[in-house]
Amino acid sequence: MSGRSRRRARAAERARVTRVVLLSLCAVAVVLVACAAWVGVRAALSYGHVSAARAEASATVAAVAADPVSAASRADRLRAVGERLDDATGLTGDIVWRASEYLPFAGANLRSYRLTVEALHETVDGGLTPVVADLARLDTAVSLADRTVDTKAVAATAAGLRSAERALERGRTTLREASAGPLVPPLASGVRQAEDLVDSLHKTVSSLAVAARVLPDAIGASGAKNYALLFNNNAELRTTGGIAGALSELTADGGRIELGEQLVPDQLNPAAGAGLEVSPQERGLYGPQLGEYVQDVNLTPDFVRSGELTAAHWRAALGQELDGVVSIDTATIGLLLAATGPITVDGRVLNSENASTVLLRDVYLEIPDRDAQDVFFGELTRVMFDKLFGAGTGTVPVLKALGTAVDQGRISIWFADSALQREIAGGPLAGPLAQLADDGTPVGVFLADGTAGKMDAYLEGSMTATCHAPKANGPAEKSPAKGAGTRGRTVTATATLVSTAPQDIASFPWVVIGYGVPNLPTGHIRTMVQFAATDSLRPQRMMVDGTEVPLLWRMIDGHPVAVVSVDLAPGAVSVVVAEFTALPTRSPTVDRVVATPTATEFEHYAERGTCG
């Protein structure tokens, strides 16, 4: 073959290859356009279903979260919403859509949209629609006026509520996946709204599911129960709200609840030198008084231990066994009065607006005699109990008020029955320490009064938590404090305390300012600040107003707890910081900070992030 022929042949081959490439590219382009059109059309159709369902779903789910009983009247609407979301889910689940999720940027948004639709479908179809009858049944099972609960009816809802709780948890997990990746602002906003909606509903259903499992046995379905009710006064802080200034016996049998004998602490406190034995770790942080006074059983954030100590005091003083201990703080009274309406105690009218002021301040200024104060708080317990379980009090408003108090950590419960205790473990009812978890709440900040007065009515401030992770491909940030090590993979908790006591506080009655604590000027507030953490963290250093102080910590029920005392003059501010280091194999995350519930202004803030 001549050179010219060879050149012609090569030119022909190149032309053929070019045509093949062009045709292939055209084919690919056609396929891509077709896929884009396919996905676009299905996205539009899906969005039409979601958009039509969104308003009804939001209104219905929000209404049910606020008032579970309303679910039964919305059953038809829920089914219609479920059908819409079912259609939307089907439109986003085919192979073309899934393949498109691998495209740069656009794929992340397609995946997020699909997951959000799936999560909403799971929420309505699996988490809510199947239990509307159970939610309505719970309302009819409770009769506040008769002080009774139909334990069989409540128990019958347990399985359905548990199933709904799991479905909602799956929906929450799916939404967390949907929020990952670079999303366009409207989609990111939609995912956040869906998360808020599902979180709210999950909290409601989860609480009802726990109640359905626990309540029947707890209120005597299988035999009479005897409980101690600790009424905690926030004016003298302890980890669960305040000292147990008043105590009452609660009995439950066959679903009927009664208020028994009302007691004062001196009826339970042992004689001098006869206190309960405490562990070396407890003694190292709290001294012997943890076992010497029933008012101090909640110095520790471990409410299981608080319950055990209360039961031991009760047994030693009264010769009776307790089936459990219920702790409730003064601020909860205000929440309940918003549901029940006002009450009158010893000539004083209490309502949701003035309850904290009257109970934390006015009582001590107007009733200086301690025995008379005990009588007042005992009368308060009786009147409040009668109001709660009186004719005309609505079940749903009371349950919502109690739910708010539980969310805020104002109600804690300990059961002697280990099976019942396991059911509430890890939730807010189990107490401060039990709420700590690597997944969102690795640290807690707890306060305990050291003034021996009622000065915490004048204590305000904030609690914060944040985490620090080492920089990618770089050295860990060095801590500025000598010998403090590195600051990488740490969690920092901060308590800012402010005294709002008036300048003439020293002239107030002794029951307010305290009877005189060594080395504490009259009118100052002494506070033990406790920083507790999960077993993934270890205390590294403690600072008060920018100065590093000796680190005192012990392990309490497997949790590191560090303490320091702070004294505040009227108008003074103090900032206390505790820094924890994460163990090498752990990566806790921060979403919120667990803290002592107060009746005064305390802001809680957590800077979200993963600590490692």
Side-chain angles (χ1 to χ4, degrees), residues 487-538:
R487 202 182 173 198
R489 293 179 47 79
T490 63
V491 177
T492 299
T494 303
T496 301
L497 305 180
V498 182
S499 172
T500 63
Q503 293 301 316
D504 65 343
I505 189 69
S507 65
F508 281 37
W510 71 268
V511 71
V512 175
I513 59 178
Y515 54 77
V517 174
N519 303 316
L520 182 67
T522 302
H524 288 214
I525 302 174
R526 175 168 291 172
T527 305
M528 174 195 284
V529 185
Q530 303 184 57
F531 296 95
T534 66
D535 64 356
S536 294
L537 300 172
R538 291 295 181 269

Side-chain angles (χ1 to χ4, degrees), residues 284-285 539 542 549-554 561-564:
L285 294 183
M542 183 97 73
V549 298
L551 184 60
L552 172 61
W553 70 281
R554 298 287 189 276
V561 179
V563 305
V564 66

Side-chain angles (χ1 to χ4, degrees), residues 254-268:
R256 183 171 178 81
I257 305 166
E258 296 289 352
L259 182 66
E261 184 180 2
Q262 297 179 63
L263 308 169
V264 295
D266 286 344
Q267 291 176 263
L268 295 180

Side-chain angles (χ1 to χ4, degrees), residues 463-488:
M463 314 292 194
T464 67
T466 186
C467 64
H468 308 274
K471 296 178 181 179
N473 301 320
E477 179 185 352
K478 292 293 182 181
S479 172
K482 182 180 180 180
T486 63
R487 202 182 173 198

Side-chain angles (χ1 to χ4, degrees), residues 172 199 203 404-410 424 426-446 463-467 491-494 532-534 537 588-597 603-611:
R172 294 175 73 205
D199 282 348
K203 183 184 295 183
T404 299
V406 170
D407 289 342
Q408 295 176 359
R410 301 188 183 281
I424 65 171
L429 283 176
L433 205 63
Q435 297 181 61
L436 299 182
D438 284 344
D439 183 16
T441 54
V443 292
V445 185
F446 309 117
M463 314 292 194
T464 67
T466 186
C467 64
V491 177
T492 299
T494 303
T534 66
L537 300 172
T589 60
V590 171
D591 284 328
R592 68 183 184 94
V593 57
V594 181
T596 290
E603 180 184 0
H604 297 168
Y605 172 75
E607 184 178 334
R608 294 187 175 187
T610 301
C611 313

Side-chain angles (χ1 to χ4, degrees), residues 223-258:
K225 301 290 185 181
N226 191 40
Y227 297 96
L229 174 64
L230 308 184
F231 184 67
N232 297 331
N233 193 321
N234 304 95
E236 188 171 350
L237 288 172
R238 296 291 186 269
T239 60
T240 54
I243 63 164
L247 304 95
S248 298
E249 180 185 31
L250 279 177
T251 60
D253 191 6
R256 183 171 178 81
I257 305 166
E258 296 289 352

